[in-house]
Amino acid sequence: MTQSAKLTIRDLSFTYADGTQALRQINLEVRPNELFVLFGPSRSGKSTLLRLFNRLSDLQTRASRSGDIFLDGQDIFAKEVDIYNLRRRVSMVFAIPTPLPGSIYDNLVYGLLVSGIRDKATLDERAERALRQAALWDEVKDRLHASAFALSGGQKQRLCLARSLALEPEVVLLDNPTSGLDPISTAVVERSLYELKQQYTIIMVPHSVQQAARVADRTAFLLDGEVVEVGTQRQIFFNPKDKRTEDYVMGRFG
């Protein structure tokens, strides 16, 4: 296990209750403050792997797992691990934005209130900082108490990102965060990622190969539940070592 790794995955396999093996012997390391992209065709195991990082996989009844995931050297599957605290440290933003009922402000402070924070100044400060980090503050600062459901699709997606950031996680998991957005909203989200990785480790399943090539620091190509190749953005997209990676990047399958 590398000393500098934020997340370390060792010999990780995962099989769903119906017998579908989604992951096979995954070995990866994700470094602090990098934007690490998992890409590959549908049903290659990307989203399953993402959900394992904060144990959302626990919700899959009768599924089986072998192997290990370490966060800062600690086994996240150890009995003593507090799942709520793990999911605060490793937060997830899904493809379909799901604002909570209530105002924009209510969405931002909900998790903070649940965690016991009541000081109004602290709530206000965390809400504003999260909105700024998600590139949404200027668009909503004058209507924080309006319904979150009145936001556009792109704004809802950034609100869900801000809601996650308000909890001050260490790792942010993004599962196709721009899949339903128009090109302008997609560009806004992508620009915000460059700022966010200064403070967070980001692991992302992208909307397309093109997006992976635009945003990744390093990336892993997954195929049929296996890691085919891991490398920097330049190496994977301009000089892949594996013919399967080259074929997928060039659009020959998938």
Side-chain angles (χ1 to χ4, degrees), residues 91-107:
S91 68
M92 183 91 167
V93 180
F94 297 95
I96 299 174
T98 52
L100 302 172
S103 70
I104 296 167
Y105 183 84
D106 292 337
N107 270 261

Side-chain angles (χ1 to χ4, degrees), residues 35 189-198 214-216:
L35 203 168
V189 171
E190 289 182 3
R191 281 198 301 271
S192 70
L193 297 178
Y194 291 104
E195 299 297 326
L196 291 174
K197 71 181 181 181
Q198 307 304 316
R214 285 195 302 269
V215 304

Side-chain angles (χ1 to χ4, degrees), residues 9-13 22-28 44 49 68 222 225-227:
I9 302 92
R10 287 288 175 262
D11 300 322
L12 182 68
S13 297
L23 298 171
R24 296 176 175 85
Q25 294 292 302
I26 302 294
N27 287 279
L28 285 173
S44 60
L49 181 55
D68 303 293
L222 276 69
E226 298 180 350
V227 173

Side-chain angles (χ1 to χ4, degrees), residues 14 16-17 51-52 54-63 77 83 87 94:
F14 188 84
Y16 286 100
R51 285 162 170 75
L52 277 156
N54 70 350
R55 291 183 53 178
L56 283 176
S57 55
D58 289 7
L59 303 176
Q60 295 289 334
T61 57
R62 298 188 302 279
F77 295 105
I83 298 246
R87 290 176 183 158
F94 297 95

